[in-house]
Amino acid sequence: MTELLFKPWPWYVAGPLIGLMVPFLLWLGNKPFGISSALRDVCAMCVPAKIPFFQYDWKSESWNLFFTGGVVLGGVLAGVILANPEPVAISAATVADLSSMGVSHELGIMPPDIFSLNMLFTPRGLFFSLIGGFLVGFGTRWAGGCTSGHAIAGLSSRQWPSLVATICFFATGIFSAWVIVPWVLSFT
């Protein structure tokens, strides 16, 4: 039984469990599934400025802060306490592509050549954290939600804007993986 906790779950188990969160939250009290709105709640709670976007009753949405906290806590538990001791299975072609760009082939989930404290203050690290973070935040606000909100909740409720947003998320991700990341990794 404990082996079930220490091994990655297959997509056909994890996917439906994530998908079942949408009707569960709707049944629980018409709560939309998504994470980006929790950031808005935190800003409304902590930013004293009179910005109209943050002027609403964030306390009525505080359930989302607990949901997001549970996601973070679950990630920490899964990544630290229940960590799978086996290396992450990555295709040989991906290892070869990343090695050609100077990224270590001992990848794990987050290659230290890209994601480490030492890399944060390099041109590469600053690009990924500052510009990438800004673009993710701007895109999330512009699209009216994050990838999980649109791709899981929006598509399940057959919302046309969520389909357009999800297609744009995937197209941008493919473009970033094939064009932007190799360009950024070419910096020393």
Side-chain angles (χ1 to χ4, degrees), residues 125-141:
L126 287 173
F127 183 85
F128 278 120
S129 60
L130 295 179
I131 295 174
F134 172 78
L135 290 173
V136 167
F138 177 80
T140 298
R141 176 68 191 113

Side-chain angles (χ1 to χ4, degrees), residues 37-116:
S37 55
L39 178 59
R40 181 180 183 214
D41 296 340
V42 169
C43 290
M45 178 174 48
C46 298
V47 176
K50 299 293 182 198
I51 301 170
F53 184 68
F54 297 131
Q55 298 299 308
Y56 68 98
D57 182 20
W58 61 267
K59 293 177 183 174
S60 67
E61 299 295 322
S62 62
W63 72 271
N64 201 6
L65 297 174
F66 290 103
F67 178 77
T68 303
V71 169
V72 171
L73 180 63
V76 169
L77 288 172
V80 176
I81 297 172
L82 301 173
N84 183 9
E86 298 172 20
V88 177
I90 299 175
S91 75
T94 301
V95 171
D97 284 346
L98 289 173
S99 293
S100 72
M101 291 184 267
V103 177
S104 172
H105 68 280
E106 296 176 17
L107 295 172
I109 292 177
M110 296 174 58
D113 295 338
I114 300 173
F115 303 101
S116 70

